[in-house]
Coordinates of all heavy atoms in Angstrom, one line a residue:
M459 N 0.8 -1.2 0.0 CA 0.0 0.0 0.0 C 0.9 1.2 0.0 O 1.9 1.3 0.7 CB -0.9 0.0 1.2 CG -1.9 1.2 1.3 SD -2.9 1.3 2.7 CE -3.9 -0.2 2.5
G460 N 0.5 2.2 -0.8 CA 1.3 3.5 -0.8 C 1.1 4.4 0.4 O 0.3 4.1 1.3
A461 N 1.8 5.5 0.4 CA 1.7 6.4 1.4 C 0.5 7.4 1.2 O 0.1 7.6 0.1 CB 3.0 7.2 1.5
P462 N -0.1 7.9 2.3 CA -1.1 9.0 2.1 C -0.4 10.2 1.4 O 0.8 10.4 1.4 CB -1.4 9.4 3.5 CG -1.0 8.3 4.4 CD 0.2 7.6 3.7
V463 N -1.3 11.0 0.7 CA -0.8 12.2 0.0 C -1.4 13.4 0.6 O -2.6 13.4 0.9 CB -1.3 12.1 -1.5 CG1 -0.9 13.4 -2.2 CG2 -0.6 10.9 -2.2
F464 N -0.6 14.4 0.8 CA -1.1 15.7 1.3 C -0.8 16.7 0.2 O 0.2 16.8 -0.3 CB -0.3 16.1 2.6 CG -0.6 17.6 3.0 CD1 -1.8 17.9 3.6 CD2 0.3 18.6 2.6 CE1 -2.1 19.2 3.9 CE2 0.0 19.9 2.9 CZ -1.2 20.2 3.6
I465 N -1.9 17.6 0.0 CA -1.8 18.7 -1.0 C -2.0 20.0 -0.2 O -3.1 20.1 0.4 CB -2.8 18.5 -2.1 CG1 -2.5 17.2 -2.9 CG2 -2.7 19.7 -3.1 CD1 -3.6 16.9 -3.9
G466 N -1.0 20.9 -0.2 CA -1.3 22.1 0.5 C 0.0 22.9 0.7 O 1.0 22.8 0.0
D467 N -0.1 23.7 1.8 CA 1.0 24.7 2.0 C 2.3 24.0 2.6 O 2.3 22.9 3.0 CB 0.5 25.8 3.0 CG 0.4 25.2 4.4 OD1 -0.7 24.6 4.7 OD2 1.4 25.3 5.2
E468 N 3.4 24.8 2.5 CA 4.7 24.2 2.9 C 4.8 23.8 4.3 O 5.4 22.8 4.6 CB 5.8 25.2 2.6 CG 6.0 25.5 1.1 CD 7.0 26.6 0.9 OE1 8.1 26.6 1.5 OE2 6.8 27.5 0.0
W469 N 4.3 24.6 5.2 CA 4.4 24.3 6.7 C 3.7 23.0 7.0 O 4.2 22.1 7.7 CB 3.9 25.4 7.5 CG 4.8 26.5 7.8 CD1 4.9 27.7 7.2 CD2 5.9 26.5 8.7 NE1 5.9 28.5 7.7 CE2 6.6 27.8 8.6 CE3 6.4 25.6 9.6 CZ2 7.7 28.1 9.4 CZ3 7.5 25.9 10.3 CH2 8.2 27.1 10.2
T470 N 2.5 22.9 6.6 CA 1.7 21.7 6.9 C 2.3 20.5 6.2 O 2.4 19.4 6.7 CB 0.2 21.9 6.5 OG1 -0.2 23.1 7.0 CG2 -0.7 20.8 7.0
A471 N 2.8 20.7 4.9 CA 3.4 19.6 4.2 C 4.6 19.1 5.0 O 4.9 17.9 5.0 CB 3.8 20.1 2.8
A472 N 5.4 20.0 5.6 CA 6.6 19.5 6.3 C 6.2 18.5 7.4 O 6.8 17.5 7.6 CB 7.3 20.7 6.9
G473 N 5.1 18.9 8.1 CA 4.7 18.0 9.2 C 4.2 16.6 8.7 O 4.5 15.6 9.2
F474 N 3.4 16.6 7.6 CA 2.9 15.4 7.0 C 4.1 14.6 6.4 O 4.1 13.4 6.4 CB 1.8 15.6 6.0 CG 0.5 15.9 6.6 CD1 -0.1 17.1 6.7 CD2 -0.2 14.8 7.2 CE1 -1.3 17.3 7.3 CE2 -1.4 15.0 7.8 CZ -2.0 16.3 7.8
R475 N 5.1 15.3 5.9 CA 6.2 14.6 5.3 C 7.0 13.8 6.4 O 7.4 12.7 6.3 CB 7.2 15.6 4.6 CG 8.0 15.0 3.5 CD 8.7 16.0 2.7 NE 8.9 17.4 3.1 CZ 8.1 18.4 2.8 NH1 7.2 18.3 1.9 NH2 8.4 19.6 3.3
L476 N 7.1 14.5 7.6 CA 7.7 13.8 8.7 C 6.9 12.6 9.2 O 7.5 11.6 9.8 CB 7.9 14.8 9.9 CG 8.9 15.9 9.7 CD1 8.8 16.9 10.9 CD2 10.3 15.2 9.7
A477 N 5.6 12.6 9.0 CA 4.8 11.5 9.4 C 4.7 10.4 8.3 O 4.1 9.4 8.5 CB 3.4 12.0 9.6
G478 N 5.5 10.6 7.2 CA 5.5 9.6 6.2 C 4.6 9.7 4.9 O 4.6 8.9 4.1
A479 N 3.9 10.9 4.9 CA 3.1 11.1 3.7 C 3.9 11.7 2.6 O 4.9 12.3 2.7 CB 2.0 12.1 4.1
R480 N 3.4 11.4 1.4 CA 3.9 12.1 0.2 C 3.2 13.4 0.1 O 2.0 13.5 0.3 CB 3.6 11.2 -1.1 CG 4.3 11.7 -2.3 CD 4.2 10.8 -3.5 NE 2.8 10.6 -3.9 CZ 2.2 11.4 -4.7 NH1 2.8 12.4 -5.2 NH2 1.0 11.1 -5.1
T481 N 4.0 14.5 -0.2 CA 3.4 15.8 -0.1 C 3.6 16.5 -1.4 O 4.6 16.3 -2.1 CB 4.0 16.7 1.0 OG1 5.4 16.8 0.8 CG2 3.8 16.0 2.4
V482 N 2.6 17.4 -1.8 CA 2.7 18.2 -3.0 C 2.3 19.6 -2.6 O 1.2 19.8 -2.0 CB 1.8 17.7 -4.1 CG1 1.9 18.6 -5.3 CG2 2.0 16.3 -4.4
V483 N 3.1 20.6 -2.9 CA 2.8 22.0 -2.6 C 2.6 22.6 -4.0 O 3.5 22.9 -4.7 CB 4.0 22.7 -1.9 CG1 3.6 24.2 -1.7 CG2 4.3 22.1 -0.6
P484 N 1.3 22.7 -4.4 CA 1.0 23.2 -5.8 C 1.3 24.7 -6.0 O 1.1 25.5 -5.0 CB -0.5 22.9 -5.9 CG -1.0 22.8 -4.6 CD 0.1 22.4 -3.7
G485 N 1.7 25.0 -7.2 CA 1.8 26.4 -7.5 C 0.5 27.0 -7.8 O -0.5 26.3 -7.8
P486 N 0.5 28.3 -8.2 CA -0.8 29.0 -8.5 C -1.5 28.3 -9.7 O -0.9 28.0 -10.7 CB -0.3 30.4 -8.9 CG 1.0 30.6 -8.3 CD 1.6 29.2 -8.2
G487 N -2.8 28.0 -9.5 CA -3.6 27.4 -10.5 C -3.3 25.9 -10.7 O -3.9 25.3 -11.7
E488 N -2.5 25.2 -9.9 CA -2.2 23.8 -10.1 C -3.0 22.9 -9.3 O -2.9 21.6 -9.4 CB -0.7 23.6 -9.8 CG 0.2 24.2 -10.8 CD 1.7 23.8 -10.5 OE1 2.0 23.5 -9.3 OE2 2.5 23.7 -11.4
V489 N -3.8 23.3 -8.3 CA -4.5 22.5 -7.4 C -5.3 21.4 -8.1 O -5.3 20.2 -7.8 CB -5.3 23.3 -6.4 CG1 -6.2 22.3 -5.5 CG2 -4.4 24.1 -5.5
R490 N -6.1 21.8 -9.1 CA -7.0 20.8 -9.7 C -6.2 19.7 -10.4 O -6.5 18.5 -10.3 CB -7.9 21.6 -10.8 CG -8.7 20.6 -11.6 CD -9.8 19.9 -10.8 NE -10.4 18.8 -11.5 CZ -11.6 19.0 -12.1 NH1 -12.3 20.1 -12.0 NH2 -12.2 18.0 -12.8
R491 N -5.1 20.1 -11.1 CA -4.3 19.1 -11.8 C -3.7 18.1 -10.8 O -3.7 16.9 -11.0 CB -3.2 19.8 -12.6 CG -2.3 18.8 -13.4 CD -1.1 19.5 -14.1 NE -0.3 20.2 -13.1 CZ 0.6 19.6 -12.3 NH1 0.8 18.3 -12.4 NH2 1.4 20.3 -11.5
V492 N -3.1 18.7 -9.7 CA -2.5 17.9 -8.7 C -3.5 17.0 -8.0 O -3.2 15.8 -7.7 CB -1.8 18.8 -7.7 CG1 -1.3 18.0 -6.5 CG2 -0.6 19.5 -8.3
F493 N -4.7 17.5 -7.7 CA -5.7 16.7 -7.1 C -6.2 15.6 -8.0 O -6.3 14.4 -7.5 CB -6.9 17.6 -6.8 CG -8.1 16.9 -6.2 CD1 -8.1 16.6 -4.8 CD2 -9.2 16.6 -7.0 CE1 -9.2 16.0 -4.3 CE2 -10.3 16.0 -6.4 CZ -10.3 15.6 -5.1
D494 N -6.4 15.8 -9.3 CA -6.8 14.8 -10.2 C -5.7 13.7 -10.3 O -6.0 12.5 -10.3 CB -7.1 15.4 -11.6 CG -8.4 16.2 -11.6 OD1 -9.2 16.0 -10.7 OD2 -8.5 16.9 -12.6
A495 N -4.5 14.1 -10.4 CA -3.4 13.1 -10.4 C -3.3 12.3 -9.2 O -3.1 11.1 -9.2 CB -2.0 13.8 -10.7
A496 N -3.4 12.9 -8.0 CA -3.4 12.2 -6.8 C -4.5 11.2 -6.6 O -4.3 10.1 -6.2 CB -3.4 13.2 -5.6
C497 N -5.7 11.6 -7.0 CA -6.9 10.7 -7.0 C -6.6 9.5 -7.9 O -6.9 8.3 -7.5 CB -8.2 11.4 -7.4 SG -8.8 12.5 -6.1
A498 N -6.1 9.8 -9.1 CA -5.9 8.7 -10.1 C -4.8 7.7 -9.6 O -4.9 6.5 -9.9 CB -5.4 9.3 -11.4
A499 N -3.9 8.2 -8.7 CA -2.8 7.3 -8.2 C -3.3 6.3 -7.2 O -2.7 5.3 -6.9 CB -1.7 8.1 -7.7
G500 N -4.5 6.6 -6.6 CA -5.1 5.7 -5.6 C -4.4 5.6 -4.3 O -4.2 4.5 -3.8
P501 N -4.0 6.7 -3.6 CA -3.4 6.6 -2.3 C -4.4 6.1 -1.3 O -5.6 6.1 -1.5 CB -3.0 8.0 -2.0 CG -4.0 8.8 -2.7 CD -4.3 8.1 -4.0
P502 N -3.9 5.6 -0.1 CA -4.9 5.1 0.9 C -5.6 6.3 1.5 O -6.7 6.0 2.1 CB -4.0 4.4 1.9 CG -2.6 5.0 1.7 CD -2.5 5.4 0.2
L503 N -5.1 7.5 1.4 CA -5.8 8.7 2.0 C -5.2 9.9 1.3 O -4.0 10.0 1.0 CB -5.4 8.8 3.5 CG -6.0 10.0 4.3 CD1 -7.5 9.9 4.3 CD2 -5.4 9.9 5.7
L504 N -6.1 10.8 1.0 CA -5.8 12.1 0.3 C -6.2 13.2 1.2 O -7.4 13.3 1.6 CB -6.4 12.2 -1.0 CG -6.2 13.5 -1.8 CD1 -4.7 13.7 -2.0 CD2 -6.9 13.4 -3.2
L505 N -5.2 14.0 1.6 CA -5.5 15.2 2.5 C -5.2 16.5 1.8 O -4.3 16.6 1.1 CB -4.5 15.1 3.7 CG -4.6 13.8 4.6 CD1 -3.3 13.5 5.3 CD2 -5.7 13.9 5.5
L506 N -6.1 17.4 2.0 CA -6.0 18.7 1.4 C -6.1 19.8 2.5 O -6.9 19.7 3.4 CB -7.2 19.0 0.5 CG -7.4 18.2 -0.8 CD1 -8.8 18.4 -1.3 CD2 -6.4 18.6 -1.8
D507 N -5.2 20.8 2.4 CA -5.4 21.9 3.3 C -6.6 22.7 2.9 O -7.1 22.6 1.7 CB -4.1 22.7 3.6 CG -3.8 23.7 2.5 OD1 -4.6 23.9 1.5 OD2 -2.7 24.3 2.6
A508 N -7.2 23.5 3.8 CA -8.4 24.2 3.5 C -8.2 25.2 2.3 O -9.2 25.4 1.5 CB -8.8 25.0 4.7
D509 N -7.1 25.8 2.1 CA -6.9 26.7 1.0 C -6.9 26.0 -0.3 O -7.5 26.5 -1.3 CB -5.5 27.5 1.2 CG -5.5 28.5 2.3 OD1 -6.6 28.9 2.7 OD2 -4.5 28.7 2.9
A510 N -6.3 24.8 -0.4 CA -6.3 24.0 -1.6 C -7.7 23.6 -1.9 O -8.2 23.6 -3.0 CB -5.3 22.8 -1.5
A511 N -8.4 23.2 -0.9 CA -9.8 22.7 -1.1 C -10.7 23.8 -1.6 O -11.6 23.5 -2.5 CB -10.4 22.2 0.3
R512 N -10.5 25.0 -1.2 CA -11.2 26.2 -1.7 C -11.0 26.4 -3.2 O -11.8 27.0 -3.9 CB -10.9 27.4 -0.9 CG -11.7 27.5 0.4 CD -11.6 28.9 1.0 NE -10.3 29.1 1.7 CZ -10.1 28.7 2.9 NH1 -11.0 28.1 3.6 NH2 -8.9 29.0 3.4
E513 N -9.9 26.0 -3.7 CA -9.6 26.2 -5.1 C -10.3 25.1 -6.0 O -10.3 25.3 -7.3 CB -8.1 26.1 -5.4 CG -7.4 27.3 -4.8 CD -5.9 27.4 -5.3 OE1 -5.7 27.1 -6.5 OE2 -5.1 27.8 -4.5
L514 N -10.9 24.1 -5.4 CA -11.6 23.1 -6.2 C -13.1 23.5 -6.2 O -13.6 24.1 -5.3 CB -11.4 21.7 -5.5 CG -10.0 21.1 -5.5 CD1 -10.0 19.9 -4.7 CD2 -9.5 20.9 -6.9
E515 N -13.7 23.0 -7.3 CA -15.2 23.3 -7.4 C -15.8 22.5 -6.3 O -15.5 21.3 -6.0 CB -15.7 22.8 -8.7 CG -15.1 23.5 -9.9 CD -13.8 22.8 -10.4 OE1 -13.5 21.7 -10.0 OE2 -13.1 23.5 -11.2
P516 N -16.8 23.1 -5.5 CA -17.4 22.4 -4.4 C -18.0 21.1 -4.8 O -17.9 20.1 -4.1 CB -18.5 23.4 -4.0 CG -18.0 24.7 -4.4 CD -17.2 24.5 -5.7
A517 N -18.7 21.0 -6.0 CA -19.3 19.7 -6.4 C -18.2 18.6 -6.6 O -18.4 17.5 -6.3 CB -20.1 19.9 -7.7
L518 N -17.1 19.0 -7.1 CA -16.0 18.0 -7.3 C -15.5 17.5 -6.0 O -15.3 16.3 -5.8 CB -14.8 18.7 -8.1 CG -13.5 17.8 -8.2 CD1 -13.8 16.6 -9.1 CD2 -12.4 18.7 -8.7
L519 N -15.2 18.4 -5.0 CA -14.8 18.0 -3.7 C -15.8 17.1 -3.0 O -15.4 16.1 -2.5 CB -14.4 19.2 -2.9 CG -13.9 18.9 -1.5 CD1 -12.6 18.1 -1.6 CD2 -13.6 20.2 -0.8
E520 N -17.1 17.5 -3.1 CA -18.1 16.7 -2.4 C -18.2 15.3 -3.1 O -18.4 14.3 -2.4 CB -19.5 17.4 -2.5 CG -19.6 18.6 -1.6 CD -20.9 19.4 -1.8 OE1 -21.8 18.8 -2.3 OE2 -20.9 20.6 -1.5
S521 N -18.1 15.2 -4.4 CA -18.2 14.0 -5.1 C -17.0 13.1 -4.7 O -17.1 11.9 -4.5 CB -18.2 14.2 -6.6 OG -18.1 13.0 -7.3
A522 N -15.8 13.7 -4.6 CA -14.6 12.9 -4.3 C -14.7 12.4 -2.8 O -14.4 11.2 -2.5 CB -13.4 13.7 -4.4
Q523 N -15.2 13.2 -1.9 CA -15.4 12.8 -0.5 C -16.4 11.7 -0.4 O -16.3 10.8 0.4 CB -15.7 14.0 0.4 CG -14.6 14.9 0.5 CD -14.9 16.1 1.4 OE1 -16.0 16.7 1.2 NE2 -14.0 16.5 2.3
A524 N -17.5 11.8 -1.2 CA -18.6 10.8 -1.1 C -18.1 9.4 -1.7 O -18.5 8.4 -1.2 CB -19.8 11.3 -1.9
A525 N -17.2 9.5 -2.7 CA -16.8 8.2 -3.3 C -15.9 7.4 -2.4 O -15.8 6.2 -2.6 CB -16.0 8.6 -4.6
L526 N -15.2 8.0 -1.5 CA -14.3 7.3 -0.6 C -13.2 6.5 -1.4 O -12.7 5.5 -0.8 CB -15.0 6.4 0.3 CG -16.0 7.2 1.3 CD1 -16.8 6.1 2.1 CD2 -15.2 8.1 2.2
D527 N -12.8 6.9 -2.6 CA -11.8 6.1 -3.3 C -10.9 7.1 -4.1 O -11.2 7.4 -5.2 CB -12.5 5.2 -4.3 CG -11.5 4.3 -5.0 OD1 -10.4 4.0 -4.4 OD2 -11.8 3.9 -6.1
P528 N -9.9 7.6 -3.4 CA -9.5 7.4 -2.0 C -10.3 8.3 -1.1 O -10.9 9.3 -1.5 CB -8.0 7.9 -2.0 CG -8.0 9.0 -3.1 CD -9.0 8.5 -4.1
P529 N -10.2 8.0 0.2 CA -10.9 8.9 1.2 C -10.2 10.3 1.1 O -9.0 10.4 1.1 CB -10.6 8.2 2.5 CG -10.3 6.8 2.2 CD -9.7 6.8 0.9
V530 N -11.0 11.3 1.1 CA -10.5 12.7 0.9 C -10.9 13.5 2.2 O -12.1 13.6 2.5 CB -11.0 13.4 -0.3 CG1 -10.5 14.8 -0.4 CG2 -10.6 12.6 -1.6
L531 N -9.9 14.1 2.9 CA -10.2 14.9 4.0 C -9.6 16.2 3.9 O -8.5 16.4 3.3 CB -9.5 14.2 5.3 CG -10.0 12.8 5.7 CD1 -9.2 12.3 6.8 CD2 -11.5 12.9 6.1
V532 N -10.2 17.3 4.4 CA -9.7 18.6 4.4 C -9.2 18.9 5.8 O -9.9 18.7 6.8 CB -10.8 19.6 4.0 CG1 -10.3 21.0 4.0 CG2 -11.4 19.3 2.6
V533 N -8.0 19.5 5.9 CA -7.4 19.8 7.1 C -7.0 21.3 7.2 O -6.8 21.9 6.1 CB -6.1 18.9 7.4 CG1 -6.4 17.5 7.5 CG2 -5.0 19.2 6.3
N534 N -7.0 21.8 8.4 CA -6.6 23.2 8.5 C -5.1 23.4 8.3 O -4.3 22.6 8.9 CB -7.0 23.8 9.9 CG -8.5 24.0 10.0 OD1 -9.2 24.3 9.0 ND2 -9.0 23.7 11.2
P535 N -4.7 24.4 7.6 CA -3.2 24.7 7.4 C -2.7 25.3 8.7 O -3.4 26.0 9.4 CB -3.2 25.7 6.2 CG -4.5 26.4 6.3 CD -5.5 25.4 6.8
V536 N -1.4 25.1 8.9 CA -0.7 25.7 10.1 C -0.1 27.0 9.7 O 0.3 27.8 10.6 CB 0.3 24.8 10.7 CG1 -0.3 23.5 11.3 CG2 1.4 24.4 9.8
A537 N 0.1 27.3 8.5 CA 0.9 28.5 8.1 C 0.2 29.8 8.2 O 0.8 30.9 8.1 CB 1.3 28.3 6.6
G538 N -1.1 29.8 8.5 CA -1.8 31.0 8.6 C -1.5 31.9 9.8 O -1.8 33.1 9.9
E539 N -0.8 31.3 10.8 CA -0.5 32.0 12.0 C 0.6 33.0 11.8 O 1.6 32.7 11.2 CB -0.1 31.0 13.1 CG 0.1 31.6 14.5 CD 0.5 30.6 15.5 OE1 0.2 29.4 15.3 OE2 1.2 30.9 16.4
A540 N 0.4 34.3 12.2 CA 1.5 35.3 12.1 C 2.6 35.1 13.1 O 2.4 34.6 14.2 CB 0.9 36.7 12.3
L541 N 3.8 35.4 12.7 CA 4.9 35.3 13.6 C 4.8 36.4 14.6 O 4.4 37.5 14.4 CB 6.3 35.4 12.8 CG 6.6 34.3 11.9 CD1 7.9 34.6 11.1 CD2 6.8 33.0 12.6
P542 N 5.3 36.1 15.8 CA 5.2 37.1 16.9 C 6.1 38.2 16.7 O 7.2 38.1 16.1 CB 5.6 36.3 18.2 CG 6.5 35.2 17.6 CD 5.9 34.8 16.3
S543 N 5.8 39.4 17.2 CA 6.6 40.6 17.0 C 7.6 40.6 18.2 O 8.6 41.4 18.2 CB 5.8 41.8 17.0 OG 5.0 42.0 18.1
D544 N 7.4 39.9 19.3 CA 8.3 39.9 20.4 C 9.6 39.1 20.1 O 9.5 37.9 19.9 CB 7.6 39.2 21.6 CG 8.4 39.2 22.9 OD1 9.5 39.7 22.9 OD2 7.9 38.7 23.9
P545 N 10.7 39.7 20.1 CA 12.0 39.0 19.7 C 12.4 38.0 20.7 O 13.2 37.1 20.5 CB 13.0 40.1 19.6 CG 12.4 41.3 20.3 CD 10.9 41.1 20.3
S546 N 11.8 38.0 22.0 CA 12.2 37.1 23.0 C 11.5 35.7 22.8 O 11.8 34.8 23.5 CB 12.0 37.7 24.4 OG 10.6 37.8 24.6
T547 N 10.5 35.7 21.9 CA 9.8 34.4 21.7 C 10.7 33.3 21.2 O 11.5 33.6 20.3 CB 8.6 34.6 20.7 OG1 7.8 35.6 21.2 CG2 7.9 33.3 20.5
D548 N 10.7 32.2 21.8 CA 11.5 31.1 21.4 C 11.0 30.5 20.0 O 10.1 29.7 20.0 CB 11.5 30.0 22.5 CG 12.5 28.8 22.2 OD1 13.2 28.9 21.1 OD2 12.5 27.9 23.0
L549 N 11.8 30.8 19.0 CA 11.4 30.3 17.6 C 11.4 28.8 17.5 O 10.5 28.2 16.9 CB 12.3 31.0 16.6 CG 11.9 30.6 15.1 CD1 10.5 31.0 14.8 CD2 12.9 31.3 14.2
I550 N 12.4 28.2 18.1 CA 12.5 26.7 18.0 C 11.3 26.1 18.7 O 10.7 25.1 18.1 CB 13.8 26.2 18.7 CG1 15.0 26.8 18.0 CG2 13.8 24.7 18.8 CD1 15.1 26.4 16.5
A551 N 10.8 26.6 19.8 CA 9.6 26.0 20.5 C 8.4 26.2 19.6 O 7.6 25.3 19.5 CB 9.4 26.7 21.8
R552 N 8.3 27.4 18.9 CA 7.1 27.6 18.1 C 7.1 26.6 16.9 O 6.1 26.1 16.5 CB 7.2 29.0 17.5 CG 6.8 30.1 18.6 CD 6.8 31.5 18.0 NE 6.1 31.6 16.8 CZ 4.8 31.7 16.7 NH1 4.0 31.5 17.8 NH2 4.2 31.8 15.5
I553 N 8.3 26.4 16.3 CA 8.4 25.4 15.2 C 8.0 24.0 15.7 O 7.2 23.3 15.0 CB 9.8 25.4 14.6 CG1 10.0 26.8 13.9 CG2 10.0 24.2 13.6 CD1 11.4 27.0 13.4
R554 N 8.5 23.6 16.8 CA 8.1 22.3 17.4 C 6.6 22.2 17.6 O 6.0 21.2 17.3 CB 8.9 22.0 18.7 CG 10.4 21.7 18.4 CD 11.1 21.4 19.7 NE 12.4 21.0 19.4 CZ 13.5 21.3 20.1 NH1 13.3 21.9 21.3 NH2 14.7 20.9 19.8
R555 N 6.0 23.2 18.2 CA 4.6 23.2 18.4 C 3.8 23.1 17.0 O 2.9 22.3 16.9 CB 4.1 24.5 19.1 CG 4.3 24.4 20.6 CD 3.5 25.5 21.3 NE 3.8 26.9 20.9 CZ 4.9 27.6 21.3 NH1 5.7 27.1 22.2 NH2 5.1 28.8 20.9
R556 N 4.2 23.8 16.0 CA 3.6 23.8 14.7 C 3.7 22.4 14.1 O 2.8 21.9 13.4 CB 4.2 24.8 13.7 CG 3.7 26.1 13.9 CD 4.2 27.0 12.8 NE 3.6 28.3 12.9 CZ 3.6 29.2 11.9 NH1 4.3 28.9 10.8 NH2 3.1 30.3 12.0
M557 N 4.8 21.7 14.4 CA 5.0 20.4 13.8 C 4.4 19.3 14.7 O 4.5 18.1 14.3 CB 6.5 20.1 13.6 CG 7.1 21.1 12.5 SD 8.8 20.9 12.3 CE 8.8 20.2 10.7
G558 N 3.9 19.7 15.8 CA 3.2 18.7 16.7 C 4.2 17.9 17.5 O 3.9 16.8 18.0
V559 N 5.4 18.4 17.8 CA 6.4 17.7 18.6 C 6.8 18.4 19.8 O 7.9 18.2 20.4 CB 7.6 17.3 17.7 CG1 7.3 16.3 16.6 CG2 8.3 18.5 17.1
A560 N 6.0 19.4 20.2 CA 6.3 20.2 21.4 C 6.3 19.3 22.6 O 5.5 18.4 22.8 CB 5.3 21.3 21.6
G561 N 7.2 19.6 23.5 CA 7.3 18.7 24.7 C 6.9 19.4 26.0 O 6.5 20.5 26.1

């Protein structure tokens, strides 16, 4: 069985890549082509960040989710959070939290 596929922003892709997923960060106007190719490849799971999902026609996304072949889920991107203006903020700790490995 192949690896899950994530389509979306760079920050979220980094986390999914660490978890073993194949990731694609589409350029402008590429989401539909990347989505179609990923569906055709038949991964065990296809994940889209919310921004990528918004670039697809709602009927297409609903149809793909209903078909469950592959299962398609929309996840929230982590990149939307603004960096703090306080220079004393621990950047390494913030990165770890974003990647889900904060201790």
Side-chain angles (χ1 to χ4, degrees):
M459 182 182 293
V463 173
F464 170 80
I465 300 170
D467 72 276
E468 293 178 42
W469 275 104
T470 311
F474 279 106
R475 208 171 15 259
L476 287 171
R480 188 170 64 82
T481 63
V482 182
V483 179
E488 291 185 329
V489 172
R490 173 64 189 263
R491 180 188 59 78
V492 169
F493 178 78
D494 288 344
C497 286
L503 178 64
L504 178 56
L505 302 155
L506 294 166
D507 78 5
D509 292 333
R512 276 191 284 278
E513 290 191 37
L514 297 174
E515 299 84 15
L518 172 69
L519 183 58
E520 289 175 22
S521 174
Q523 289 177 317
L526 296 173
D527 187 27
V530 176
L531 298 174
V532 177
V533 298
N534 288 325
V536 297
E539 185 180 337
L541 291 174
S543 58
D544 182 0
S546 66
T547 301
D548 183 3
L549 182 58
I550 299 299
R552 289 182 47 78
I553 291 171
R554 286 185 175 143
R555 277 194 303 276
R556 280 189 172 194
M557 297 176 109
V559 294

